[in-house]
Amino acid sequence: MNVQNSTQQPPITSTQHRSQQLIDLLRTHYEVSRDIRHGICMLNGGMYDKAQAAFQHASQQGCADRSLPSFLAACLIGNGHLRDATRHFADMVADDETDTRAQIRLALALWAGGNQDEAILSLREAIRCDRENAELHFQLGTLLTAMDRIEEAELRFTQALTIQKDYAQAYVSLAMCCGVRQAPVEAVKHLKYAQSIRPFDARIGLLLTQAARAAQQQGLSLAVHAQMPLEDHLSDEAGIDLLSRVIEQEPDFVNAFLSIPFDQIDTNIFSMLLITIRIALERQPEHAELHYHCCQVLERLGQSHEAINEGELAVALDQQHTKALIMLANLYRATNRSHDGASRLEQAIALGADYADVHVLLGHLYRDCGHLDWARSSYERALALNGHYVEAQQALTSLATR
């Protein structure tokens, strides 16, 4: 923590690297969101060339079909060594309709082995046993489409939608069948439903644009009225849960968020981060580092009293948590509790936090309490550690005039 006197460029720390990584991820996510919004505006205005360009650019970024929490979690898992979080992600998939997935895997394995008729038969048998399973109808329709059996494929996709009305991909597949038989107006109708379900999906926006253009080329005029996506980071419960497991394994990712300058990050992201950490704490309530990071995020959100509670929990769980002690000292000073702040810093220094900036803060706290001699000693210790510490020099000068 001590200020170093060096003209050399400081090395890039792990936190700096992660901070830059997160800035890049956030920038990509918001660039994609802007492209999608621009594409929707152009599509609704009938400017199909511009709409197509915007949706294509968004699709190339590779994150248009994810909410922000899911996108961040997936990227961080992909770039790290987060085995437990990765395993949880796999378990989420495995636990969802296990029997259905096994039946679909069997059919796809048969298909990949060149046994197309057997693959179709296996799905028909699965549907006979479970007629109200939208996924089975959809998968059968997909295989039938690959065999150019478009008429029955449409029936299967329609049946899937009868069972599950918000099945966006079934609408997309139904629209593709319409495209094969040169029925762009019907394709537009189905794609409008899909886009209303997944307005953040650039691929659907692109397909809707292409279908609307095809209708126009046939001399048909259509009003699309595509929907704008909502920027609601907190609605993706599964994504937030997965991100919480990433942070639970590597809490220092929070430092990367916190190191991003205020003007480069939306406050709503910190609200999302706070909920994410609290979900992790529900699983591990005795995780001192998570309480410390919760304290940091609350402070960033301006919730000082709640931040103090979390900082105190971190110290109660780990009495040698010097970072939490220093954080508490700052929070106590901000809430006019300088005596408490000084006490926490004394503990931190006794544990080895003998840094110039810590002694300057302790000096400020002593000064606030009226202990001017103690304050002077703290500033002098800071200067002994760093002779060019301007804040310590100014504080000493200020004391001399009192």
Side-chain angles (χ1 to χ4, degrees):
M1 295 183 65
N2 192 8
V3 177
Q4 301 295 319
N5 298 316
S6 172
T7 58
Q8 296 181 348
Q9 187 73 16
I12 296 176
T13 65
S14 174
T15 297
Q16 287 174 319
H17 173 75
R18 285 175 172 171
S19 173
Q20 187 57 52
Q21 179 189 33
L22 284 171
I23 289 172
D24 292 341
L25 292 176
L26 292 168
R27 184 179 295 118
T28 298
H29 179 82
Y30 285 115
E31 283 180 0
V32 167
S33 295
R34 283 194 296 271
D35 282 337
I36 290 173
R37 290 172 179 277
H38 179 64
I40 290 171
C41 287
M42 296 300 102
L43 171 58
N44 289 343
M47 292 176 275
Y48 299 135
D49 288 340
K50 292 182 178 180
Q52 179 166 319
F55 287 129
Q56 285 177 333
H57 187 263
S59 297
Q60 290 166 1
Q61 303 302 312
C63 72
D65 60 342
R66 299 179 188 272
S67 71
L68 181 58
S70 293
F71 171 59
L72 289 176
C75 290
L76 294 175
I77 288 172
N79 292 334
H81 304 284
L82 308 177
R83 296 179 182 175
D84 290 342
T86 307
R87 188 180 305 115
H88 173 70
F89 186 71
D91 290 344
M92 287 171 61
V93 174
D95 290 343
D96 181 22
E97 301 178 341
T98 304
D99 292 340
T100 298
R101 291 186 181 279
Q103 291 163 335
I104 292 169
R105 282 197 297 270
L106 171 61
L108 294 179
L110 289 168
W111 183 276
N115 301 312
Q116 295 181 342
D117 290 336
E118 289 185 42
I120 295 290
L121 284 173
S122 70
L123 285 176
R124 291 193 193 280
E125 177 61 22
I127 289 171
R128 188 183 68 79
C129 298
D130 187 4
R131 296 185 183 278
E132 297 302 306
N133 191 309
E135 183 68 15
L136 290 173
H137 285 284
F138 173 77
Q139 293 295 336
L140 179 55
T142 301
L143 296 189
L144 289 167
T145 301
M147 298 177 71
D148 291 327
R149 294 163 64 174
I150 303 301
E151 185 174 345
E152 186 183 355
E154 284 195 57
L155 291 174
R156 292 298 175 178
F157 295 136
T158 301
Q159 183 62 28
L161 289 166
T162 300
I163 298 166
Q164 183 179 330
K165 298 186 184 301
D166 63 348
Y167 199 152
Q169 187 54 46
Y171 281 115
V172 172
S173 295
L174 196 53
M176 301 298 282
C177 290
C178 295
V180 171
R181 56 183 176 81
Q182 302 295 309
V185 174
E186 290 182 57
V188 167
K189 181 184 72 172
H190 297 311
L191 287 167
K192 283 170 66 175
Y193 282 120
Q195 196 273 338
S196 69
I197 297 166
R198 295 177 60 83
F200 48 82
D201 192 323
R203 184 179 67 91
I204 294 175
L206 178 59
L207 290 172
L208 179 53
T209 301
Q210 292 169 339
R213 185 205 299 275
Q216 185 186 61
Q217 290 171 347
Q218 290 186 3
L220 303 170
S221 179
L222 297 175
V224 175
H225 301 306
Q227 293 189 20
M228 283 289 178
L230 297 176
E231 283 291 343
D232 183 5
H233 305 319
L234 306 182
S235 63
D236 180 11
E237 294 181 5
I240 288 176
D241 181 71
L242 183 57
L243 185 59
S244 76
R245 293 177 188 275
V246 173
I247 290 173
E248 183 179 325
Q249 279 191 260
E250 296 206 18
D252 281 346
F253 274 126
V254 179
N255 283 332
F257 278 100
L258 293 165
S259 64
I260 300 174
F262 277 95
D263 60 349
Q264 295 188 35
I265 193 165
D266 189 337
T267 302
N268 290 332
I269 292 175
F270 283 103
S271 298
M272 175 197 76
L273 187 58
L274 177 61
I275 290 174
T276 302
I277 295 171
R278 283 179 165 160
I279 289 173
L281 280 169
E282 287 177 5
R283 291 191 296 268
Q284 295 201 49
E286 297 185 0
H287 196 311
E289 193 71 8
L290 284 174
H291 282 290
Y292 165 64
H293 287 309
C294 190
C295 168
Q296 289 180 293
V297 174
L298 284 163
E299 189 275 337
R300 184 81 175 248
L301 288 168
Q303 300 178 36
S304 298
H305 294 290
E306 292 85 350
I308 288 172
N309 291 337
E310 290 295 333
E312 291 291 359
L313 280 170
V315 172
L317 291 165
D318 180 3
Q319 296 179 5
Q320 297 189 6
H321 202 310
T322 55
K323 292 184 294 184
L325 290 166
I326 294 167
M327 185 78 188
L328 280 169
N330 279 289
L331 287 165
Y332 280 136
R333 188 180 186 217
T335 53
N336 300 314
R337 294 173 61 182
S338 296
H339 283 287
D340 293 328
S343 175
R344 286 309 194 185
L345 274 195
E346 288 166 357
Q347 289 176 259
I349 291 169
L351 290 168
D354 189 25
Y355 308 120
D357 50 354
V358 172
H359 284 285
V360 167
L361 177 57
L362 181 57
H364 293 340
L365 289 164
Y366 283 150
R367 185 184 61 195
D368 294 343
C369 295
H371 303 312
L372 302 187
D373 290 339
W374 294 359
R376 184 176 296 104
S377 296
S378 293
Y379 297 140
E380 289 172 349
R381 176 57 183 164
L383 286 169
L385 291 166
N386 183 346
H388 297 281
Y389 205 134
V390 174
E391 188 177 354
Q393 292 173 333
Q394 290 175 340
L396 269 178
T397 302
S398 176
L399 279 182
T401 63
R402 296 182 63 162

